[in-house]
Structure formats: C-alpha cells, structure tokens
C-alpha cells in the first residue's frame, strides 16, 4: 500500500491575519503546529496580488519548517525567478486570475504557450520537483508529461463542491485521470475543495500519493483547533487507505 501524504495549505491563516494587519495569526506558526499534529507537508500559494501569503511568509516557511514545502505559483517570470532563488523542494504550477476568489480549475497545458515549458525546465534545473494543477483529462495529462512535469495534482473541486448526486460520475472521471497519470509516468496528487465528507473517496485511489487541503481545514480549525482537524484528516485518510 502506497503512503498518502497530507499537505496543509496555510494560505487562509494569512488571509485572517491580513484582515486586520499586524502579525497574528502567523502562517509560519500554523505550519509548525500542523506538522507537529501529523501533517506531512505545507502548501503555500504566493499570488500575484499577495492577497494572503506574502513573500516573507514563504521565505520563513522555507527556512524554519523542516517538512516539505509545496510552492503553488503561476507560471510567470516573477514567480519562476522567486522559486529559483529560494528553491522549494516542490512547486505546483497553477492557473491564476486576479479577479477569482480561488483557483477555479486546472491549468490548460495544451494552450499555455511556450513559457510554461521554459518554466518547468528552469524549475527542474534549480532542483525543484514540478507538478501541474490540472483537470482529469488524458490529453492535458499527456501534455504535462511532455513538457517535463514530474507530477500532476488533479483538481477535485468539481467533485467535492458539486451536487452529491453527481459525485459517482466525477469520481469515475478522476479515477480515469489517475490512470492517465500512471500511463504517462507521472506521480499523482489531488486537491481543492476537500472536506471531512469528501476526502475518503480520493484517499481510496491507491495511485494518489498526496492530498492538499486548505480552506476547509483552516476554517474548521476555528471550531475544533488546528491539531484536532489535522489529526482527524490523517485518521480519515488512513482508514480509507486501509479499506
């Protein structure tokens, strides 16, 4: 049985901090608490408009948190240069639009243009392992492999946030994406919109090796506390994997 990692996205700890300014709550401290509670890694998304995570947050997490950091970023010159400087162990290339509330879907690798291939090559040259946040579409997954990505992260938002009656169809689509990643020789991660109610179905997909969870996990921590929520997710993942 392959191990399944939980990466905790701390972006919205920074969102709460930024609502009042100042330094509290601190995403670096949240990262430390999440790792102590059993999380396997930390995910941060440095957006163009710096709406939540700031440059210094990312630099501190990279320097102070021993667990792997996954740097989510748009494929732009600014972000590639930033990643080349701090050299995170992992980077996930995501689509980004200034007006969106959150990432709205997978990156369109087929129509992304030549800079995406250059970004992947530069990141790999900096010893950064590159994944691409992508829809469960075989053509997109094959294109990700063709430009040099080592992994994909399947967009689970349509499954997790859509109608419950549609979940079997969406799970079948995601499972087909997992199979396409395997055929392409890519590692397979998953994330977006997952909660207590939806994580288990994804965790049962044996080829998925990492799940990234942010908004629900951080929001639920207001009621239960961050260590409790992290441990509950780890327990749900372990139970689904054993099943």
């Amino acid at each position: 049985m392959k191990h399944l990692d939980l990466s905790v996205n701390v972006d919205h700890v920074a969102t709460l901090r930024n609502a009042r300014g100042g330094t509290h709550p601190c995403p670096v401290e949240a990262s430390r608490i999440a790792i102590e509670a059993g999380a396997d890694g930390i995910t941060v998304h440095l957006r163009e408009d710096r709406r939540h995570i700031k440059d210094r947050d990312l630099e501190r997490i990279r320097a102070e948190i021993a667990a792997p950091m996954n740097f989510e970023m748009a494929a732009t010159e600014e972000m590639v240069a930033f990643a080349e400087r701090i050299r995170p162990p992992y980077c996930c290339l995501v689509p980004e639009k200034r007006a969106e509330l959150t990432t709205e879907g997978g990156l369109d690798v087929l129509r992304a243009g030549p800079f995406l291939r250059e970004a992947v090559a530069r990141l790999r040259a900096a010893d950064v392992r590159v994944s691409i946040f992508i829809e469960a579409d075989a053509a997109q997954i094959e294109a990700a492999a063709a430009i040099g990505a080592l992994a994909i992260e399947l967009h689970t938002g349509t499954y997790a946030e859509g109608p419950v009656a549609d979940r079997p169809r969406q799970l079948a689509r995601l499972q087909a994406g997992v199979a396409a990643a395997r055929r392409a020789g890519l590692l397979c991660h998953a994330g977006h919109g997952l909660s207590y109610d939806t994580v288990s179905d994804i965790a049962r997909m044996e080829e998925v090796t990492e799940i990234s969870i942010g908004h629900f996990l951080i929001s639920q921590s207001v009621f239960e506390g961050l260590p409790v929520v992290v441990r509950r997710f780890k327990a749900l993942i372990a139970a689904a994997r054993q099943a």
Side-chain angles (χ1 to χ4, degrees), residues 187-199:
L187 293 173
C188 190
H189 306 160
H192 198 81
L194 296 174
S195 67
Y196 289 154
D197 294 333
T198 54
V199 69

Side-chain angles (χ1 to χ4, degrees), residues 79-90:
M79 291 303 163
V80 172
F82 190 96
E84 288 175 319
R85 177 170 65 82
I86 69 164
R87 298 194 173 208
Y90 303 98

Side-chain angles (χ1 to χ4, degrees), residues 158-169:
T158 307
Y159 150 73
E161 298 172 339
V164 173
D166 195 41
R167 284 183 183 170
R169 185 174 70 88

Side-chain angles (χ1 to χ4, degrees), residues 43-59:
T43 294
V44 284
H45 183 178
L46 184 66
R47 297 185 70 106
E48 175 194 19
D49 59 10
R50 308 306 199 268
R51 68 177 65 170
H52 37 61
I53 291 292
K54 310 296 186 185
D55 299 49
R56 183 58 179 155
D57 297 326
L58 203 149
E59 291 166 346

Side-chain angles (χ1 to χ4, degrees), residues 71 73-91 93 114-131 147-150:
F71 176 21
M73 53 175 265
T76 64
E77 176 59 39
E78 177 194 18
M79 291 303 163
V80 172
F82 190 96
E84 288 175 319
R85 177 170 65 82
I86 69 164
R87 298 194 173 208
Y90 303 98
C91 175
L93 298 175
F115 186 73
L116 182 61
R117 182 185 291 270
E118 177 187 336
V120 172
R122 286 169 59 181
L123 291 165
R124 292 191 61 172
D127 200 28
V128 178
R129 284 168 279 188
V130 181
S131 66
I147 64 170
L150 298 180

